[in-house]
């Protein structure tokens, strides 16, 4: 924007939302699919524009796509949309604000639907998010979904697991996690297909 040239720029990057209420029936859905072999930022932007009204057909130069490593069966992408506009906080100083929205695009691995029930997986993620676990499911497309990005989250290192204070946090978090199943009235839905459930035989698991 012309009135922002040479002016100070502020970066506004909202944190990933954790635990906000989510209507399970309101998540946008589309049948569009993404091909991992020739995936382009323009294709991702088109899907996000279709699913998320706040994206509103961004220009290619405003969208940054980065691969997130560590996925086992899915391809993961960190997608950032940046928009520059005059700051509403101090119009007289012609300050620019660069508003960033970051999401994660998860493209399911080929044929993984044979052993993962994606509908139950999404339903479970929504429910967990409502209880403060994991990102929000923002939208679902033909072979993947769009999730909120949780900034500043990192996996624990082995040394962290041995700390007494961290052990307390882990135990309390796991207890809160398992109370969700109890509150729902028993065992959760299975997400894996075709795998037998191990059940104790008669006489097993009893104290002699």
């Amino acid at each position: 924007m012309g009135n922002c040239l040479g002016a100070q720029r502020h970066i506004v990057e909202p944190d990933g939302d954790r635990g906000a209420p989510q209507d399970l029936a309101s998540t946008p859905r589309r049948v569009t699919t993404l091909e991992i072999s020739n995936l382009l930022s323009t294709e991702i932007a088109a899907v996000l524009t279709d699913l998320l009204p706040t994206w509103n057909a961004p220009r290619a130069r405003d969208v940054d796509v980065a691969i997130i490593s560590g996925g086992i069966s899915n391809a993961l992408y960190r997608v950032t949309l940046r928009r520059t506009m005059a700051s509403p906080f101090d119009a007289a100083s012609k300050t620019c604000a660069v508003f960033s929205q970051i999401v994660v695009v998860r493209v399911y691995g080929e044929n993984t639907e044979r052993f993962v029930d994606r509908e139950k997986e999404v339903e479970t993620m929504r429910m967990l998010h409502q209880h403060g676990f994991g990102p929000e499911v923002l939208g679902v497309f033909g072979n993947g979904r769009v999730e909120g990005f949780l900034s500043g989250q990192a996996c624990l290192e082995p040394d962290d697991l041995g700390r007494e204070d961290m052990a307390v946090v882990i135990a309390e978090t796991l207890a809160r996690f398992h109370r969700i199943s109890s509150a729902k009235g028993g065992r959760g839905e299975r997400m894996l297909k075709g795998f037998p459930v191990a059940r104790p035989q008669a006489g097993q698991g009893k104290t002699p």
Side-chain angles (χ1 to χ4, degrees), residues 38-201:
N38 58 350
L39 197 59
L40 301 174
S41 60
T42 52
E43 295 174 333
I44 291 181
V47 170
L48 292 176
T49 297
D50 196 26
L51 286 171
L52 308 178
T54 56
W55 282 64
N56 191 24
R59 297 168 298 181
R61 67 185 184 185
D62 295 330
V63 179
D64 177 67
V65 180
I67 296 175
I68 300 177
S69 61
I72 299 175
S73 60
N74 304 318
L76 304 174
Y77 302 90
R78 182 181 186 267
V79 186
T80 305
L81 170 65
R82 292 186 174 87
R83 294 188 187 278
T84 303
M85 59 191 71
S87 173
F89 308 110
D90 189 3
S93 66
K94 296 183 179 180
T95 300
C96 284
V98 181
F99 292 90
S100 295
Q101 181 179 4
I102 305 176
V103 298
V104 172
V105 174
R106 179 184 300 269
V107 183
Y108 302 145
E110 187 175 359
N111 297 323
T112 53
E113 71 280 358
R114 293 182 179 179
F115 56 88
V116 177
D117 189 325
R118 295 299 184 183
E119 287 296 320
K120 289 181 180 178
E121 181 184 43
V122 169
E123 181 181 351
T124 300
M125 284 195 63
R126 291 165 171 166
M127 180 266 294
L128 290 175
H129 174 72
Q130 289 184 335
H131 287 83
F133 291 95
E136 181 179 7
V137 178
L138 300 173
V140 176
F141 54 93
N143 62 333
R145 63 177 178 262
V146 182
E147 305 169 3
F149 179 76
L150 300 178
S151 61
Q153 305 297 314
C155 295
L156 295 176
E157 298 294 334
D159 290 343
D160 296 327
L161 300 177
R163 288 167 33 199
E164 184 175 350
D165 60 329
M166 187 59 66
V168 173
V169 173
I170 293 173
E172 292 176 344
T173 303
L174 282 174
R176 185 163 59 90
F177 180 86
H178 287 292
R179 279 197 296 270
I180 298 174
S181 177
S182 298
K184 286 177 63 64
R187 192 176 58 192
E189 294 288 339
R190 291 180 59 200
M191 290 184 293
L192 297 180
K193 301 178 181 177
F195 292 89
V197 178
R199 306 182 190 280
Q201 301 296 319

